[in-house]
Amino acid sequence: MKILDEIYFYPWESMTENNCNTVFIDGEVPTLVDPGHTHLLGQLFEDMEADGVSPDDVKLVISTHGHPDHCEGNEWFRQRGAMVAVSKGEDDFLRGSGGDIYRSFGMEPPETGPDFFLQEGELDVGARRAEVLITPGHSPASACIYFEREKALIAGDLIFQGGVGRVDLPGGDAEQLKESIVRVAQLDIEHLFPGHGPIISGQENVMANFDFIQQAFFQML
Ligand SMILES: [Zn+2]
């Protein structure tokens, strides 16, 4: 569904299969963030096509982090000529203990590395400017993508509506997760796109969610 001019959100709503939310950013460099599992791409494509967006047009795929429910489907796009970007720390992770997460679900970690690494700071996506924040905790070098003009944050599995990403998988770290949450809570956010669950809209709701998370989760983590 279209949320903002050129920004589309595809929530994963099935209760029976785990998969992530996907964000599509149209423009000079049509960009897809976190396509999800390969075998579930068909549902995503149906939803995109209903919005008049073609998966074949995607030129860049960004992974917030290396978990299979976010980026197993990257390969489909790579084979059709799209570039793939992930942070260096996540790529290193996948070549080490992160690969075990794939193997524990009967999958193989991606063989091919990204076309370029996401780095802390500005990312030019055509005429559109985005900011990459490396926000470890859920995984060693997860990234959030922030669009300042749109006041939109793609948060991956750092934070959800009423929850946080798990820290018990290999490479997870509760203290880092808390630091990363405190950091992104400083941003001016009107639209928060989490990696799972519903979008959080409106600055007041976004702030209330950050407050709730800090009060309800920080002591337990
Ligand atoms: Zn994850």
Side-chain angles (χ1 to χ4, degrees):
M1 69 188 83
K2 188 169 188 165
I3 303 294
L4 287 160
D5 189 28
E6 298 189 326
I7 299 187
Y8 299 74
F9 181 59
Y10 296 102
W12 183 254
E13 286 167 340
S14 164
M15 299 300 277
T16 54
E17 292 214 65
N18 177 50
N19 199 35
C20 72
N21 296 332
T22 302
V23 181
F24 175 71
I25 305 115
D26 209 353
E28 233 177 292
V29 183
T31 301
L32 200 65
V33 181
D34 288 355
H37 276 303
T38 308
H39 73 284
L40 299 172
L41 285 175
Q43 180 64 58
L44 172 66
F45 293 171
E46 259 180 45
D47 293 346
M48 290 173 75
E49 279 157 5
D51 284 337
V53 171
S54 170
D56 291 310
D57 292 342
V58 171
K59 297 272 188 296
L60 171 65
V61 175
I62 292 177
S63 296
T64 58
H65 62 295
H67 289 163
D69 57 332
H70 289 254
C71 67
E72 192 201 3
N74 288 4
E75 199 52 35
W76 188 93
F77 295 92
R78 187 201 299 282
Q79 285 171 3
R80 284 158 185 80
M83 287 195 295
V84 172
V86 65
S87 74
K88 169 92 170 64
E90 283 297 300
D91 191 55
D92 290 345
F93 170 59
L94 285 177
R95 322 243 154 246
S97 64
D100 295 338
I101 300 175
Y102 281 74
R103 287 182 277 271
S104 70
F105 289 104
M107 293 176 267
E108 279 302 310
E111 274 177 33
T112 319
D115 295 286
F116 67 92
F117 292 124
L118 294 176
Q119 289 181 326
E120 178 77 31
E122 265 187 22
L123 173 72
D124 284 325
V125 188
R128 188 185 301 278
R129 284 249 164 112
E131 188 183 342
V132 174
L133 297 95
I134 302 297
T135 50
H138 173 65
S139 62
S142 299
C144 288
I145 316 294
Y146 180 59
F147 299 93
E148 190 177 357
R149 196 183 53 161
E150 291 84 359
K151 299 184 180 178
L153 182 79
I154 300 173
D157 287 358
L158 179 65
I159 35 174
F160 310 124
Q161 185 182 68
V164 299
R166 55 191 289 189
V167 291
D168 59 327
L169 292 168
D173 185 306
E175 288 310 311
Q176 286 188 331
L177 185 91
K178 289 189 228 177
E179 283 170 26
S180 295
I181 290 172
V182 168
R183 184 173 173 220
V184 298
Q186 310 303 312
L187 298 168
D188 185 5
I189 304 169
E190 283 279 347
H191 311 273
L192 193 149
F193 302 91
H196 300 274
I199 190 170
I200 308 170
S201 300
Q203 197 189 33
E204 271 183 31
N205 294 328
V206 171
M207 293 313 294
N209 191 60
F210 278 122
D211 287 344
F212 170 76
I213 284 168
Q214 297 196 17
Q215 283 162 21
F217 288 91
F218 271 30
Q219 279 195 335
M220 293 185 329
L221 284 166

